[in-house]
Amino acid sequence: MRVFETSVQELKHEVLRSVARLAWNDDLQTGILDIPEEIIPGPEAKMRCCIYKERAIISQRVKLAMGGDKTNPNLVEVLDIACDECPVTEITVGPSCRGCIATRCVHTCPKDAITVVDHKAQIDHKKCITCGKCITACPYGAIEKKTRPCERGCKAGAISMGEDKKAFIDPAKCTSCGACIYQCPFGAIMDKSFIVDAIQTLQGAEKWGFHVYAAVAPSIAGQFAPADLGQVVTGLKMLGFHDVVEVALGADMTAKTEAGELEEKGMLASSCCPAFVDYVEKNFPDQAHLISETPSPMIMAARYIKRKDPSSKVIFIGPCVAKKMEIKLGKTMGAVDIALTFEELYAMFESQNIDVSKLEYTELDQASGFGRSFAHSGGVSAAVAQALKERNSSFQAKPLPCSGFEACRLAFLKAAKGIGDFNFIEGMACEGGCVQGPAQLIRSPKNQGDVDRHAKQAEGRTIEGAVAEAEKQPESQD
């Protein structure tokens, strides 16, 4: 059993694995009723007040593992019954308050919510509007705003407290980046899973005459350690996948096309991160035209697969929750049929008792090192610059890599005012890039090193060479 980073991640895995087992055995209709008791057998509660609440939460997780609430437009949902432990977001007075004579906090409050009682400031939360002016005014730093982890983690500002004091995700602001899933310490937020759809697609391939391809993101390097990527490829084929393609090859295709687009337009922002694109469209609509029209590596790889094999269905596998949103956009033209995460793939392996670390090696070597480096911040910029070099362009790329929405926001503010010497904004929602995605099995600083080592294995292969070699491959005759 893998040692997970948190108990929340372990619980999510147990639910996904249980649902996957039932799906393989075509026993979902009746079997799902038994999952809560199987995971929480009792008689003692493990994490909550009682086993009945724990089982009720598992039931909600099972629903999300099977696709979630179809009437809820969000890919990320709040488990209402689990969202009840965090303190309400509010401004509070700490023990450092000295009850000073100046009482700047009292004078700065626009709602007269602060009074001094027994030489200490007190806040009437019925009047307080959490504007934060008192925090700035206090010379002792004794006033602070306690913010729920999900709210603090959501840099898109999509999470607030509802009237019931539970987290509410605003679909008009949510970018499906998944940061709140990782940040919530009580596991009260989870992404919808399409693991059942994936299993049923694999099971129906032979009957319905199509081939199912796995398109694996470059950040997969090191994620299934001690197994290497070649063993994971073998495991994918044991699950029923017809073949496996590197999304890094799609990244090479994206870099090649995006380099030409940058040269033509003179100013561009990357399109590979769907959460970043969504963030820009919602928060900087006047600058959304800067977003590249070049499809993301996932879409490029999927279109390549479907050109080569018209009978194919493509399942993307990566560290990203937002990719589940991207595949449903009209501009993707149905290139990808299903998107899964590394967490979900691991659950599928476990549900079939496949230990990938004990499997034979199957080679997967299609992309350049530049395409593989898309997985971390700065990788897209380096690849686009390399693609310009390979086409003997005189145009000079001046990239501004941005990881995390705060850095992306600053970049677009600069672009709006013409500040800074850059012509290519590389935007990634996750700080550090995809290597720190919310659905990574392992979130660690070493992830970038794993990707860099994987990229180095393709040393000497150019972007143009990788794309040309792929296009030479014969179409499927099966």
Side-chain angles (χ1 to χ4, degrees), residues 246-247 249-258 293-307 326 335-336 471:
E246 284 190 83
V247 171
L249 173 61
D252 284 326
M253 297 171 177
T254 292
K256 179 181 177 180
T257 306
E258 207 157 62
E293 295 177 10
T294 301
S296 70
M298 175 184 75
I299 302 304
M300 283 291 210
R303 290 181 180 177
Y304 160 76
I305 291 168
K306 292 194 171 183
R307 284 198 308 273
E326 183 185 6
V336 178
E471 295 298 344

Side-chain angles (χ1 to χ4, degrees), residues 4-9 12 61 76-77 149-150 152-154 159 177-191 319 321 343 430-431 435-445 447:
F4 289 99
E5 184 181 355
T6 69
S7 295
V8 169
Q9 192 182 25
K12 182 179 183 180
R61 283 186 163 275
V76 178
E77 291 190 24
C150 58
R152 188 168 59 247
C154 181
I159 299 183
C177 71
C180 56
I181 300 170
Y182 180 75
Q183 293 295 336
C184 178
F186 285 94
I189 306 178
M190 181 176 164
D191 52 310
V321 172
E343 291 177 327
C430 298
E431 294 186 9
V435 290
Q436 297 300 322
Q440 289 278 74
L441 285 170
I442 303 169
R443 283 175 58 111
S444 165
N447 290 2

Side-chain angles (χ1 to χ4, degrees), residues 155-156 172-173 175 269 275-291 402 404-417 425:
K155 304 305 181 182
K173 295 180 179 179
T175 64
F276 163 72
V277 172
D278 198 30
Y279 177 78
V280 173
E281 291 176 344
K282 288 176 176 177
N283 293 276
F284 296 93
D286 293 341
Q287 293 174 275
H289 65 278
L290 294 177
I291 297 293
C402 305
F405 284 147
E406 291 176 336
C408 296
R409 175 178 175 275
L410 183 59
F412 274 85
L413 289 174
K414 287 180 178 179
K417 296 181 179 181
I425 300 173

Side-chain angles (χ1 to χ4, degrees), residues 62-77:
V62 168
K63 183 177 179 180
L64 281 167
M66 295 180 64
D69 182 0
K70 301 296 190 292
T71 64
N72 186 337
N74 287 335
L75 263 171
V76 178
E77 291 190 24

Side-chain angles (χ1 to χ4, degrees), residues 204-347:
E206 185 175 353
K207 178 180 178 181
W208 299 108
F210 54 78
H211 300 145
V212 186
Y213 287 75
V216 295
S219 51
I220 196 171
Q223 281 297 294
F224 289 83
D228 59 29
L229 180 56
Q231 291 173 303
V232 175
V233 173
T234 303
L236 286 164
K237 292 189 174 184
M238 288 178 66
L239 287 176
F241 285 95
H242 178 72
D243 206 352
V244 183
V245 171
E246 284 190 83
V247 171
L249 173 61
D252 284 326
M253 297 171 177
T254 292
K256 179 181 177 180
T257 306
E258 207 157 62
E261 189 180 358
L262 173 60
E263 185 176 19
E264 177 186 342
K265 295 180 177 178
M267 180 69 178
L268 205 64
S270 63
S271 60
C272 58
C273 174
F276 163 72
V277 172
D278 198 30
Y279 177 78
V280 173
E281 291 176 344
K282 288 176 176 177
N283 293 276
F284 296 93
D286 293 341
Q287 293 174 275
H289 65 278
L290 294 177
I291 297 293
S292 170
E293 295 177 10
T294 301
S296 70
M298 175 184 75
I299 302 304
M300 283 291 210
R303 290 181 180 177
Y304 160 76
I305 291 168
K306 292 194 171 183
R307 284 198 308 273
K308 293 294 180 180
D309 186 353
S311 69
S312 63
K313 288 190 178 294
V314 179
I315 296 180
F316 169 81
I317 303 167
C320 183
V321 172
K323 288 294 183 184
K324 298 178 184 181
M325 171 264 291
E326 183 185 6
I327 70 171
K328 297 185 178 185
L329 300 177
K331 59 186 177 184
T332 67
M333 297 190 298
V336 178
D337 298 279
I338 300 168
L340 296 177
T341 64
F342 294 147
E343 291 177 327
E344 290 160 344
L345 175 58
Y346 181 56

Side-chain angles (χ1 to χ4, degrees), residues 6-35:
T6 69
S7 295
V8 169
Q9 192 182 25
E10 183 176 355
L11 182 64
K12 182 179 183 180
H13 170 73
E14 289 179 3
V15 171
L16 288 170
R17 180 183 58 192
S18 297
V19 168
R21 280 177 177 163
L22 293 174
W24 288 117
N25 295 326
D26 195 23
D27 193 26
L28 279 168
Q29 197 164 15
T30 57
I32 57 171
L33 300 176
D34 299 324
I35 293 177

